[in-house]
Amino acid sequence: MSDVTPEELKKRVEVERIKDASNYLRGSLKQSLQDPLTGALAESDTQLSKFHGIYQQDDRDLRDERRRQKLEPHYQFMVRVRVPGGVCTPDQWLQIDRIATTWCNHTIRLTTRQAYQFHGIIKRDLKKTIAEVNAALLDTIAACGDVNRNVMCNPNPYQSRLHEEVYEYTRRISEHLTPRTTAYHEIWLDQELVATSKKQDEEPIYGKHYLPRKFKTAVAIPPSNDVDIFANDLGFIAIEENGRLAGFNVTVGGGMGMTHGEPETYPRLADVVGYCPKEKTLQVAEEIVKIQRDHGDRTNRKHARFKYTIDDRGIEWFKFELNKRLGWNMEPPRPYVFESSGDRYGWVEGVNDTWHYTMFIQNGRILDTDELPMMTGLREIAKVHEGDFRLTANQNLMIGRVSSKQKPVIEALLKKYKLTGSYHRTGLRLNSMACVAFPTCALAMAESERYLPSLLDKLDAIMKDAGLEHDPIVIRMTGCPNGCARPFLGEIGFVGKAPGKYNLYLGAGFYGQRLNKLYRENIGEEQILAELTPIIHRYAKERGQGEKFGDFVIRCGYVKEVLAGKDFHS
Amino acid sequence: MHIVLPERSKTPLNEEQHRYLQQVLSILTPEQAAWLAGYVTASIAGSAAAGAMASAVGGGASDITILVGSQTGNSEKLAEQTHQLAASRGLRTVVKKMGDYKLPQLKAEKNLLVIVSTHGEGTPPDNTKEMYEFLFSKRAPSLKHVHYAVLGLGDSSYEFFCKMGVDFDRRLEELGAQRIHPRVDCDVDYESAAEGWMDAVLKELSTRVEVSSAPIAGAGFPALSLASASAYSRKNPFPSVMLENIVLNGRGSIKETRHIELSLEGSGLAYEPGDVLGVYPTNAPDVVEELLVALRAAGGEPVTVDGKETSIYEALFRHLEITTLTRPMIQKYAALAAQSKLDDLLAEANKKAFQHYLDGREIIDLLTDFPARELPLQAFVDMLRKLPPRLYSIASSLKQHPDEVHLTVVAVRYHAHGRSRKGVCSTYFADRIGEYTTVPVYVDHNQNFKLPADPATPIIMVGPGTGVAPFRAFVEERDAIGASGKSWLFFGDQHFTTDFLYQAEWLKYLKQGRLSRMNVAFSRDQEQKVYVQHRMLEQSRDLYAWLQEGAHFYVCGDEKRMAHDVHEALLKVVEKEGALNREQAEEYVKTLQKDKRYQRDVY
């Protein structure tokens, strides 16, 4: 990997030049943090802060008001905490809870990638927040930015035996692909370089310019595809042999995001490219990341994701390239079966006399309200819990590894804080997901988290009416086409276009095996309900035995089947 | 020397102008003629330099000196008025400002008319301090040959009413001068009392001094470079339309600071940065109602105010001051109330208890704490002062906002002695004016708070809270004229997120380089309170360097604590960076004041 010439750098996008000049992600972050005249970071630092897990945002509800008041926007920061595989200890939960109430907006957001998100941190509290996250033995580095993000893993596989070992690989992949730059410790943890003669930071895998775009990795344990493995740039499907982990089927090239009105951008599902024995996992992950590093488009960020790198050259090119770099050939993929992508709610028995309790958390947003003291309840549970907490891939929470002796203790607390029965909702709602959107996300075009619940109220009524109260249908909403809540994998998908207006997509596969397709463009609630009501009723009446909604709408011709990302728009 | 004008037809003058001008020119000495030539030229060029030049040459050709000590400019206006009135009566006078006065000249004075205002609790106005100290020091000369009269301006809601006037009057006598007219103390509504003094004093002087047969054309006092072309004034305010009224504090702030924009279109009023806008508010209807209840009046009962008949409601709502308690008012009330406890409070010996009672109380408290069995409405009306205009430092530059004037006003609301209270004018803006109300205003020029004449001069501005208002005008003005001089603003308030007044504008100016530096202090954003003076001390090295380069230093805002703390900090900066002791530092700062490089607009 050689350095980039100045001519080459000029051809690249601005962010590439910012990375280049940043000295391994330092930029002028330190000075920006100390500037007392503004609650914002310097422009270029807002790109670099992402690599540190920090997004600069502003309260969009106040934007206009503050402009009229001759005040700058209400800048605040979102901090994303990495939780490989979504597993953390009760003590870490308590720290997260404490940070949320001290520096943030008194809520904890569980993300669609099994991470924690804090919102509402003001600049002068940022350093304290990051330091406290690290003190809890979690971190925020590479939670955002052009690097490998939080590595997902099924938190409660049917084959619980496998979980421990697979989870271990998840952590090792995460660790292996974490940036090596000491900038993070320098800026947030006040750890100066030990000696001035120390070599400049080196990134053995990423190099000075990191990746062209975000890179998402997930690990799945069949038959559950809750992590939506095919939506990831890189995936590892656990293959079992005699009750033990043998190796992984490797998937590449998945990615959700697209831009309205630009058909050369599209969501894509990953290809399964082969099988590797488990000892080779880290090497395979590294080489795949390096392929994207070297070949991804750095002149156009909308064309920079791994999916386009592959589609531009073909999957055969990729396999050839990978084998070349590995120095050995990947084996043909082994058989596997996915059956679902949702969470299993309530108490589920694990191994070695443990139980897991999964609760439904609308939009993954944990907070206290008058009716439901969720945050307090979970805090109290964390104080006595001896197992772990697991963030699910559907923005829900699992209280994991509860011994049968502790089970009644936890049950009593769940009851006390009205947390039992969280999952007594329709099958539709239990399989719903929404991204954050307003008021904090700068990219939102329409409401998502703040709107989906009330839309679901209306859809729930229709479902009940049609006798489909307990039928699971995957439904997802995002405020913009970046697709953070994986809307293109919804049997019903909504993507915001303008305030109150959404594109409606139908027909994805129930266990994340097929993308949906555009059904109606730029419609408001009235039309959404008008469109969906007859379809839902027809589904109730005419579906085949065990036929899923996503398959039904294709069979009945509402939308065509999408076989490849390239055909998403056709 | 005798300057002769060319024949009228060869000049651009009319008959009358030609006649008067020839008259003036015929009585000027060469020195005076030279001065006049320069002054007129400079006036046309339109700069305050004209004023400086004029006062530098000063008078000396007159036997009557009008000595002025003023904070906000009222005394200066009265001095000018006296000067004009004297001239119209054939008396030649020269006006000198105490801050510019050369103290050794004092014993050479023959006739001294002293016009001095008292600011707040009896403290000398900034430009009066040196003379005041001189007079009361051992170096004060014998003034055996001086005749004098004193006019004092003040506010009777302060215990030390007209203290400056009192002190000057007494001290001059002690130094042997002869009083030609008793001292007159004016309350906030000063015009008629002042005019009475002028008339009497000039009458007296005309028996002692040479009187010219013809009126004397005014020369000697620097006319304001903004000669009012307007028909509107303090006596005749302009009904301005409100254009904008927004709360500057962000959601969640406990403060309510408003940015007010008023239209001056059609008024002919003009102002410079540093000037002040006088506003005539009306009282709050609910406060008026409370008083009517205490007075057992319905509101329509007829009373006379200022010789005009009106209803008691109108009188209390529009014409009279109905909140602030003053000793004179209480004395008049006590005479009618026949309440022994009140009489006790007024006793000489109980000054402290009296002050304590006044603290946080208003006229309504007086009526309810010491109810009078019978209080005729007219008698009550006669006790009250006229509703005075409120003065606000102007927050805009005409060059950026033609025909507009902007203000920064914080709504004053508080609880005291079981009642909720509010500032009259601040809540007038906040609560009682709407889209179609007009606000009666006038411009009050403040010669003591001005940008440096040379736009290349560096300026340092310290303006926490609403004190930032005139600095917005300063920066806007310098931006408009493309001033090359660097500028530095110190601002403070409670919370960064919600109380950073005009933040977006400062950030823009900093980005464009129209404001060179800015330091902020938000007192409640951390454990310990941090204020602007702390920032000054942190920046002492650069601050001192700027002063050494000739920077002007401005302070605006709260007088009681902030101005004092900032002054202290300035001294400390000078001590530390100049390696001076306290005495030397004080000299340094005094020199800044004398050179008009340390200016304050404090309230």
Side-chain angles (χ1 to χ4, degrees), chain A residues 35-40 43 59 61-62 65-76 122-125 128, chain B residues 246-251 259 261 472 495-505 507 510 518-520 522 525:
Chain A
D35 185 350
L37 299 180
T38 171
E43 183 80 46
D59 187 334
D61 286 343
L62 295 183
E65 183 178 288
R66 284 181 66 99
R67 187 184 42 82
R68 280 193 297 267
Q69 292 179 313
K70 307 183 198 294
L71 295 169
E72 66 172 9
H74 193 293
Y75 289 113
Q76 49 195 251
I122 53 175
K123 193 171 76 169
R124 65 171 179 273
D125 293 333
K128 278 172 276 197
Chain B
I246 46 173
V247 176
L248 291 169
N249 299 98
R251 214 187 271 196
H259 175 76
E261 294 183 4
R472 182 171 184 265
H495 293 288
F496 166 82
T497 310
T498 53
D499 308 323
F500 193 163
L501 304 179
Y502 301 110
Q503 178 190 29
E505 294 183 351
L507 291 177
L510 284 162
M518 186 166 188
N519 288 93
V520 289
F522 293 101
D525 274 347

Side-chain angles (χ1 to χ4, degrees), chain A residues 222-242:
Chain A
S224 170
N225 185 23
D226 57 347
V227 301
D228 264 335
I229 193 125
F230 301 115
N232 286 270
D233 296 85
L234 171 62
F236 293 92
I237 302 174
I239 300 298
E240 186 207 350
E241 217 168 69
N242 304 321

Side-chain angles (χ1 to χ4, degrees), chain B residues 265-341:
Chain B
E265 203 176 327
S267 68
L269 288 170
Y271 60 87
E272 284 178 328
D275 282 346
V276 158
L277 192 72
V279 178
Y280 283 97
T282 47
N283 284 301
D286 60 325
V287 175
V288 174
E289 293 296 341
E290 258 190 320
L291 277 176
L292 287 177
V293 167
L295 293 168
R296 287 189 290 271
E301 296 87 337
V303 288
T304 311
V305 174
D306 237 7
K308 289 203 207 83
E309 200 179 285
T310 182
S311 68
I312 181 71
Y313 183 89
E314 260 312 283
L316 298 178
F317 174 72
R318 197 179 300 282
H319 302 293
L320 300 169
E321 187 179 70
I322 60 175
T323 50
T324 311
L325 283 169
T326 70
R327 184 179 273 274
M329 186 260 164
I330 297 175
Q331 279 167 332
K332 290 194 193 119
Y333 180 79
L336 287 174
Q339 292 254 353
S340 57
K341 280 217 178 84

